[in-house]
């Protein structure tokens, strides 16, 4: 632990030296997915960002307890305090139990994370499995005088809390402005102030997911689960809380308020937020309907995609930008990442084949230190990648016989590349099955292009033969106004 890690603390809006509460133990909590739909690129960024932090903390010698939750109680439609629960809505439409929906999409999320080489967390608690803890947390907030019961629901009293503490300290919001600008939504008349948020909601007759509580049969508010579960698994105070920038307000702001009200102190020492992925300048997300699922990236089956992208290309694309910067999606950017990753991995492969000489014609001794310094500077993965590309230039010169490397320098290069490429950046060789699928896809596309040309030339025999043979092999061919579509 000789390296001093500096991370950007959102709470204080500056880089700070990371000093854990109980060295060498680190407690880290990250908001995971709400499981009512397929994981998309917006889910990949926080998962990869905090996977890098998890890997690097362990590399520095810390024992890390990494908790990432699963929200399976669901969000309300407007993510405020009213509307239909999204998991219940999906269950009703598909005539399934809500937990069937949650399990199905949890499985798909885990499959996508595995493809992206995201390490599993130490603990992955589900909101639905911690209802008693959430009820106890509400009781503590009520006892402290910062919540009130209203018609079977319990709300957090933001104005009263702000008089003793500071509501808005994480996001920089002002309570007076919030009271003026936050509008009361339909069905929220039972709240004293429009800015107050639900800790417990009384369930309407049609609400499926409900639990008994001292106040009503109902369900916990969205923000409550993270306060209750982080406290259970990491204690009343822990080191790092992370998530996407879109969760900063209101979710994380409300978490701070709940935990401070219940425990009499703030729980989190360092708040970390990754920035968004955008499409044409707009945030990518389910609510805007402009998201591309990870499965669509891997298969190429989406109108905005010109091809399929291997999971490691998606991971590399995300790591090429600093986690606090916005990344705008485009096919051109992903194609550039694909070529860059291919160049890096080719260099890594060539490195294994180099034959040492008596001396080195270039000094590569500082590579490890430069990469470590970049990682310690708020996880600056783009700079790490740039340093590795510089080393690849030297590797290629040695491979082509235009430079030499000593045995000691060669072993050091191999060790540095193994550490940073595989262990810390989490990059690995292209999946063999993906490569085979890509080859198959190109072959089928080529056949169907030949079929299109045959149709233009009115060579119906060739056109029908290609279609019939592919259909017999299990392909479904569909002619469109722009050409064709196919699937197996």
């Amino acid at each position: 632990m000789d390296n001093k890690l500096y991370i950007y603390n959102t709470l204080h809006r500056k880089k700070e030296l990371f000093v854990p509460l109980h060295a060498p133990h680190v407690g880290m909590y990250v908001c995971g997915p709400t499981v009512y739909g397929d994981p998309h690129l917006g889910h990949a960024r926080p998962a990869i960002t905090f996977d890098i932090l998890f890997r690097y903390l362990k590399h520095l010698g810390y024992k890390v307890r990494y908790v990432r939750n699963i929200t399976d109680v669901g969000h309300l439609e407007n993510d405020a305090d009213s509307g239909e629960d999204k998991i219940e809505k999906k269950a009703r439409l598909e005539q399934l139990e809500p937990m069937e929906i949650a399990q199905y999409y949890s499985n798909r999320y885990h499959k996508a994370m595995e493809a992206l080489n995201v390490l599993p967390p130490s603990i992955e608690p589900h909101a639905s499995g911690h209802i008693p803890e959430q009820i106890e947390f509400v009781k503590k907030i009520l006892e402290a005088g910062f919540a009130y019961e209203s018609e079977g629901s319990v709300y957090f009293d933001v104005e009263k809390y702000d008089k003793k503490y500071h509501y808005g300290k994480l996001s920089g919001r002002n309570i007076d402005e919030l009271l003026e600008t936050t509008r009361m939504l339909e069905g929220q008349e039972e709240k004293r102030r429009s800015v107050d948020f639900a800790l417990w909601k009384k369930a309407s007759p049609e609400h499926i997911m409900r639990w008994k509580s001292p106040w009503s049969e109902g369900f916990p508010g969205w923000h409550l689960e993270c306060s209750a579960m982080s406290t259970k698994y990491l204690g009343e105070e822990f080191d790092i809380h992370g998530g996407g920038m879109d969760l900063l307000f209101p979710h994380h702001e409300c978490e701070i308020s709940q935990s401070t009200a219940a425990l009499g102190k703030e729980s989190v020492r360092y708040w970390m937020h990754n920035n968004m992925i955008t499409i044409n300048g707009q945030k990518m997300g389910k609510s805007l309907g402009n998201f591309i699922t990870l499965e669509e990236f891997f298969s190429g089956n989406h109108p905005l995609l010109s091809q399929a992208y291997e999971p490691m290309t998606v991971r590399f694309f995300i790591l090429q930008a600093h986690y606090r910067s916005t990344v705008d999606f485009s096919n051109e950017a992903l194609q550039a990442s694909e070529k860059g990753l291919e160049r890096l991995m080719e260099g890594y492969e060539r490195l294994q084949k180099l034959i040492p000489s008596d001396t080195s014609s270039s000094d590569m001794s500082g590579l490890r230190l430069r990469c470590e310094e970049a990682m310690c500077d708020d996880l600056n993965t783009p700079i790490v990648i740039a340093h590795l590309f510089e080393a690849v230039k030297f590797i290629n010169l040695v491979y082509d016989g235009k430079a030499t490397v000593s045995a000691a320098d060669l072993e050091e290069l191999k060790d540095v590349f193994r550490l940073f490429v595989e262990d810390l950046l989490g990059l690995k060789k292209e999946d063999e099955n993906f490569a085979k699928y890509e080859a198959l896809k190109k072959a089928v596309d080529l056949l169907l292009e030949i079929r299109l040309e045959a149709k233009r030339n009115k060579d119906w025999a060739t056109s029908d033969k290609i279609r019939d043979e592919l259909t017999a092999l299990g392909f479904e061919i569909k002619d469109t106004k722009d050409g064709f579509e196919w699937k197996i």
Side-chain angles (χ1 to χ4, degrees):
M1 288 181 286
D2 295 326
N3 300 80
K4 293 183 177 180
L5 172 62
Y6 285 84
I7 58 178
Y8 187 89
N9 191 340
T10 311
L11 185 64
H12 300 143
R13 294 166 180 78
K14 63 180 181 179
K15 289 181 190 176
E16 294 180 354
L17 176 64
F18 176 68
V19 182
L21 272 166
H22 308 293
H25 298 272
V26 173
M28 182 168 82
Y29 187 94
V30 175
C31 291
T34 303
V35 284
Y36 64 91
D38 276 327
H40 54 78
L41 195 59
H43 287 124
R45 193 166 197 197
I48 291 171
T49 295
F50 293 101
D51 180 58
I52 296 293
L53 180 59
F54 184 33
R55 289 168 182 264
Y56 195 58
L57 287 170
K58 290 198 296 181
H59 163 67
L60 292 178
Y62 294 111
K63 297 177 181 178
V64 187
R65 176 174 289 175
Y66 173 18
V67 182
R68 186 183 67 203
N69 71 304
I70 293 284
T71 300
D72 57 357
V73 171
H75 289 299
L76 298 177
E77 280 291 274
N78 57 22
D79 281 349
D81 300 325
S82 62
E84 188 172 11
D85 183 292
K86 293 175 183 177
I87 291 180
E88 284 200 6
K89 181 178 180 179
K90 193 89 171 178
R92 179 174 52 77
L93 291 173
E94 298 188 18
Q95 296 184 317
L96 295 169
E97 283 291 321
M99 286 302 117
E100 284 184 274
I101 295 294
Q103 186 65 56
Y104 176 78
Y105 288 111
S106 293
N107 292 345
R108 292 177 75 79
Y109 175 78
H110 291 139
K111 184 179 178 183
M113 293 306 105
E114 185 179 354
L116 291 168
N117 201 24
V118 170
L119 299 176
S122 314
I123 304 171
E124 193 173 56
H126 290 232
S128 62
H130 294 77
I131 301 298
E133 289 88 346
Q134 294 181 71
I135 290 172
E136 289 303 310
F137 219 85
V138 176
K139 287 179 181 178
K140 287 181 180 179
I141 298 172
L142 281 166
E143 288 167 8
F146 294 108
Y148 56 90
E149 185 182 351
S150 178
E151 299 180 30
S153 295
V154 181
Y155 292 96
F156 190 88
D157 194 326
V158 170
E159 195 172 19
K160 186 174 181 181
Y161 171 85
D162 187 65
K163 288 176 181 177
K164 183 172 181 180
Y165 300 104
H166 176 195
Y167 183 82
K169 66 186 302 181
L170 182 66
S171 59
R173 282 166 167 78
N174 179 281
I175 184 68
D176 295 324
E177 291 177 4
L178 285 170
L179 287 169
E180 288 176 14
T181 58
T182 306
R183 64 188 179 90
M184 186 72 78
L185 298 170
E186 187 179 346
Q188 295 183 321
E189 298 80 4
E190 59 199 32
K191 298 197 306 188
R192 292 177 186 170
R193 293 281 190 276
S194 56
V195 73
D196 294 348
F197 57 89
L199 298 171
W200 185 266
K201 283 287 289 181
K202 181 180 180 180
S204 58
E206 65 275 8
H207 203 96
I208 305 169
M209 289 189 286
R210 56 173 69 216
W211 293 266
K212 289 182 180 180
S213 80
W215 315 287
S216 65
E217 271 203 6
F219 54 94
W222 167 34
H223 315 300
L224 188 63
E225 64 183 85
C226 291
S227 289
M229 293 192 293
S230 63
T231 301
K232 175 169 182 174
Y233 294 108
L234 298 175
E236 292 189 358
E237 292 178 276
F238 60 95
D239 298 295
I240 299 170
H241 194 316
M245 190 68 74
D246 56 328
L247 297 177
L248 195 149
F249 185 87
H251 185 50
H252 290 160
E253 196 74 74
C254 293
E255 271 193 67
I256 289 177
S257 304
Q258 290 168 162
S259 297
T260 305
L263 307 172
K265 57 187 173 184
E266 288 187 35
S267 292
V268 182
R269 301 186 73 202
Y270 301 89
W271 285 91
M272 294 181 69
H273 294 88
N274 64 273
N275 217 320
M276 298 180 293
I277 292 180
T278 58
I279 295 182
N280 299 322
Q282 270 196 319
K283 174 196 165 188
M284 179 183 286
K286 285 187 172 70
S287 58
L288 295 171
N290 65 351
F291 67 96
I292 304 173
T293 70
L294 290 170
E295 187 174 286
E296 287 168 336
F297 272 102
F298 303 157
S299 68
N301 292 326
H302 191 281
L304 292 176
L305 297 174
S306 62
Q307 65 178 78
Y309 294 99
E310 198 259 345
M312 285 301 100
T313 299
V314 175
R315 186 178 178 100
F316 190 68
F317 168 69
I318 288 172
L319 293 178
Q320 280 186 296
H322 190 270
Y323 77 89
R324 285 192 288 111
S325 65
T326 303
V327 177
D328 198 52
F329 157 80
S330 70
N331 277 289
E332 292 75 17
L334 274 165
Q335 286 163 356
S337 292
E338 187 176 57
K339 290 176 182 175
L341 177 62
E342 185 179 342
R343 187 157 58 94
L344 179 65
M345 300 310 284
E346 182 182 58
Y348 187 23
E349 193 173 328
R350 284 181 169 184
L351 176 61
Q352 314 309 316
K353 300 174 183 176
L354 297 186
I355 298 172
S357 302
D358 294 335
T359 60
S360 294
S361 57
S362 184
D363 183 13
M364 286 283 110
S365 61
L367 178 63
R368 182 190 296 270
L369 178 60
R370 291 194 297 273
C371 290
E372 288 278 8
E373 286 175 345
M375 288 296 291
C376 284
D377 183 19
D378 197 26
L379 306 179
N380 204 329
T381 56
I383 299 299
V384 174
I385 291 168
H387 290 323
L388 292 173
F389 273 129
E390 281 298 313
V392 166
K393 290 180 183 178
F394 174 66
I395 290 166
N396 288 336
L397 285 173
V398 177
Y399 187 81
D400 293 335
K402 298 175 181 178
T404 59
V405 62
S406 69
D409 286 349
L410 180 57
E411 285 309 305
E412 171 67 359
L413 266 177
K414 287 181 178 179
D415 193 53
V416 170
F417 264 71
R418 182 169 55 250
L419 172 63
F420 285 93
V421 174
E422 292 187 42
D423 297 345
L424 298 181
L425 296 183
L427 299 169
K428 58 184 183 179
K429 289 182 181 179
E430 184 180 89
D431 181 71
E432 188 178 341
N433 290 330
F434 181 87
K436 288 177 180 177
Y437 176 78
E438 276 296 279
L440 173 66
K441 185 175 183 296
K442 288 175 183 176
V444 175
D445 285 344
L446 178 61
L447 279 170
L448 291 175
E449 288 290 349
I450 294 171
R451 178 174 175 264
L452 272 182
E453 186 64 27
K455 287 175 70 178
R456 291 189 198 103
N457 296 330
K458 298 185 178 180
D459 182 358
W460 309 119
T462 300
S463 170
D464 291 346
K465 180 177 176 59
I466 293 172
R467 183 198 61 207
D468 294 343
E469 291 288 345
L470 285 173
T471 301
L473 290 170
F475 292 87
E476 185 179 314
I477 313 298
K478 181 182 178 183
D479 292 317
T480 68
K481 63 177 182 178
D482 299 318
F484 55 82
E485 292 177 357
W486 64 269
K487 63 181 179 180
I488 302 174

